[in-house]
Amino acid sequence: MLVNKSYKIKSCDDFELGIKRESKLEFKVCYDDEKEIESLLFIIPGLGCDTNENYREHLAQLSASELNVAVVSVSYHCIGNRPQTGAKLELDYIDKLIWRESCKAVGFDIDVEKLISFETIAETLERLNAFLYTQYTNLNLSITFAPTKNEYQNFGIMQALDILNALLFVRKNPPFVNSGGGYRLSCLEALTAGI
């Protein structure tokens, strides 16, 4: 029978930037408890359909039912940096500076401090677009995606560490019966051995 387990564990802090992690590492493990598990299969969401939680769960269940694998799906650090995974639009300090100075340069009156929601930004963009159409010019403006859980993008370091930490946790605390010979983790063992 298929088993789905969810975990929230402590992961590592960002040693490179000296930032203490605020959130727990979340991941799910799916396996068939009637099979001896031979391998671990990781789903690492990117920008496609696999960002959809239901799709990932279906993919994990299908893989676990058809193969002798346990499927691990990691919600790694800053996975919520895309709109489809919960990121919100906002204007940060630099965005506001760009908006303020760009609009000032073309003579468009704007109070950037009032641009606090998607609706107010969209409404202002419509007015700005109509104004610029009459001026025969355009502007390069910026908007920031604010990730969920107060996390930040650090170009893959924390994400890779989260995947490795989930792997190490499952390897040390397997909720399933493995085939007795361990798993083929030569790349991980090379990393942890310092090779």
Side-chain angles (χ1 to χ4, degrees), residues 35-124:
K35 295 180 180 178
E36 285 190 34
I37 304 303
E38 297 173 0
S39 298
L40 297 174
L41 175 66
F42 276 75
I43 298 174
I44 302 172
L47 291 174
C49 292
D50 54 6
T51 58
N52 180 299
E53 183 89 21
N54 293 331
Y55 176 77
R56 271 191 288 164
E57 188 174 318
H58 174 72
L59 185 59
Q61 290 175 352
L62 179 65
S63 299
S65 66
E66 297 294 319
L67 306 167
N68 291 349
V69 299
V71 181
V72 183
S73 179
V74 183
S75 293
Y76 50 79
H77 179 78
C78 204
I79 193 171
N81 70 343
R82 300 176 281 280
Q84 61 267 44
T85 56
K88 303 289 184 213
L89 289 176
E90 73 175 29
L91 296 178
D92 65 14
Y93 172 78
I94 294 172
D95 296 328
K96 289 178 181 179
L97 178 66
I98 292 169
W99 279 65
R100 187 179 300 113
E101 294 304 314
S102 296
C103 290
K104 184 176 162 184
V106 296
F108 184 78
D109 186 37
I110 186 171
D111 182 359
V112 294
E113 299 307 320
K114 291 184 178 179
L115 302 177
I116 57 173
S117 68
F118 178 77
E119 290 77 20
T120 58
I121 293 170
E123 180 182 301
T124 302

Side-chain angles (χ1 to χ4, degrees), residues 21-38:
R21 186 174 184 144
E22 296 176 9
S23 60
K24 297 250 184 192
L25 167 59
E26 298 178 34
F27 63 94
K28 294 181 179 181
V29 178
C30 178
Y31 61 94
D32 187 336
D33 64 358
E34 296 171 2
K35 295 180 180 178
E36 285 190 34
I37 304 303
E38 297 173 0

